[in-house]
Amino acid sequence: MTAPAGPHGIVLVDKPAGWTSHDVVGRCRRLLGTKKVGHAGTLDPMATGLLILGAGQGTRLLTHLVGLGKTYSATIRLGQATTTDDAEGEALGEATAATGLTDEQLEAALDALRGDIAQVPSAVSAIKVDGQRAYARVRAGEDVQLDARPVTISRFDVLARREDGPFCDLDVVVDCSSGTYIRALARDLGAALGVGGHLTALRRTHIGPFSVEEAATVPPRGQDDVSLPLQGLGEAASRTLPTLVLDEAAATDLGHGKRPRVPAVVTRMGAAGTGAGADALVAALDGEGRLVAVAAVEQSGHLRPVLVIPPGART
């Protein structure tokens, strides 16, 4: 198996406001000098914060990163609902005074949105309905009704509260499962309080163990001499999966699609997990910490390769 030329790894980027996730991917393709760049989850243009990009063989690892939990900081304006559940949409009806809400009322509404809930995504989301994005159908004038889906909100806390005319602005922090829509939380919080609500600011600060503090700033267009820091595939996989370090023979076998036994090849486990049970996925590394494969630990005690990285692309 021959790896294509070009960089291979993971890039953490702090997306600026006004850029689409596709804009960032296009910019990074130019900076990295490769067309093979993808992302693990998008952010709306108004949002800022952490995007995980994969370059070269790193695009294949993204499959194992998209389901990681996320943390957001956001501002919710209570007192007005909008067509898009954020500040870019049109107001729905007249503003409702939200300044008289008590802390007890607010906490009760927040608590109802914590834990395992069924959330109806925003109608202007990128979810496909009969092959077309929901937001495209909304822009075409259709009335889009999306089904509720299970999400988990581990944290939904108010950090600060301000009043602005009839509105009550809340700075919040949210820890949630992948697939959660923060705009929908703003909408549902306002609806529960009877005053309407929408999102006015959003920043993603964490995706699993990855933090926006590690992320690179996207240089302005025209500054093409800036290099983006690439995180090795072995390092990135080890932060999200239990880790096995293989001896040379086992690494060769696994790299060729064979199924070496686990007890004969383990020199270290852990890092991202508490161990690898049967059918668990692990990051299989060579002696230099480079990613050989993502593999499943079978009941028989063998490693079954799920994603094999060609030798020339291992980082």
Side-chain angles (χ1 to χ4, degrees):
M1 185 187 303
T2 302
H8 304 280
I10 298 298
V11 183
L12 305 182
V13 172
D14 187 352
K15 188 189 85 66
W19 288 49
T20 67
S21 299
H22 184 70
D23 290 337
V24 175
V25 168
R27 187 78 182 99
C28 290
R29 283 173 177 160
R30 184 175 182 86
L31 293 170
L32 293 168
T34 178
K35 293 183 178 179
K36 196 168 186 182
V37 176
H39 58 72
T42 63
L43 280 173
D44 292 335
M46 70 165 277
T48 67
L50 185 58
L51 280 177
I52 298 180
L53 306 182
Q57 291 292 303
T59 58
R60 302 173 63 209
L61 185 60
L62 296 179
T63 301
H64 302 284
L65 305 182
V66 293
L68 297 173
K70 298 173 175 64
T71 299
Y72 296 89
S73 59
T75 301
I76 295 172
R77 168 154 286 194
L78 297 175
Q80 182 74 71
T82 71
T83 54
T84 58
D85 303 326
D86 62 25
E88 296 185 341
E90 298 178 3
L92 291 172
E94 298 295 326
T96 301
T99 54
L101 294 170
T102 66
D103 291 341
E104 292 74 18
Q105 288 175 309
L106 184 57
E107 178 58 26
L110 288 165
D111 195 53
L113 293 171
R114 297 182 182 124
D116 297 328
I117 65 172
Q119 183 185 71
V120 177
S122 173
V124 291
S125 68
I127 294 172
K128 286 189 175 181
V129 179
D130 295 330
Q132 189 176 10
R133 302 289 184 187
Y135 63 75
R137 290 183 174 274
V138 170
R139 289 171 183 168
E142 295 185 33
D143 181 19
V144 175
Q145 300 294 327
L146 299 175
D147 294 332
R149 53 184 60 193
V151 298
T152 300
I153 311 300
S154 303
R155 182 185 183 191
F156 190 9
D157 293 339
V158 175
L159 303 181
R161 174 176 176 172
R162 299 179 300 280
E163 295 183 357
D164 183 4
F167 303 116
C168 177
D169 290 336
L170 305 176
D171 295 333
V172 302
V173 59
V174 180
D175 293 337
C176 58
S177 61
S178 180
T180 301
Y181 286 86
I182 309 302
R183 282 178 296 163
L185 282 180
R187 175 201 66 203
D188 294 343
L189 180 63
L193 292 166
V195 296
H198 66 276
L199 200 65
T200 61
L202 181 65
R203 181 166 176 78
R204 186 156 65 196
T205 60
H206 293 83
I207 300 175
F210 303 100
S211 169
V212 73
E213 294 181 358
E214 308 171 63
T217 301
V218 182
R221 294 179 178 88
Q223 294 185 14
D224 296 338
D225 57 346
V226 178
S227 61
L228 293 175
L230 270 178
Q231 189 170 124
L233 299 179
E235 178 186 354
S238 296
R239 294 177 69 179
T240 57
L241 294 169
T243 302
L244 302 180
V245 178
L246 312 183
D247 61 29
E248 184 176 353
T252 299
D253 285 346
L254 190 62
H256 288 158
K258 298 180 180 179
R259 297 166 54 247
R261 287 192 61 85
V262 175
V265 299
V266 176
T267 59
R268 185 178 74 245
M269 290 188 65
T274 57
D279 298 324
L281 292 180
V282 298
L285 311 180
D286 65 15
E288 297 181 19
R290 299 174 302 185
L291 183 65
V292 175
V294 174
V297 179
E298 298 183 324
Q299 291 280 359
S300 64
H302 290 86
L303 289 175
R304 173 173 51 83
V306 175
L307 165 64
V308 175
I309 303 298
R314 293 174 186 170
T315 62

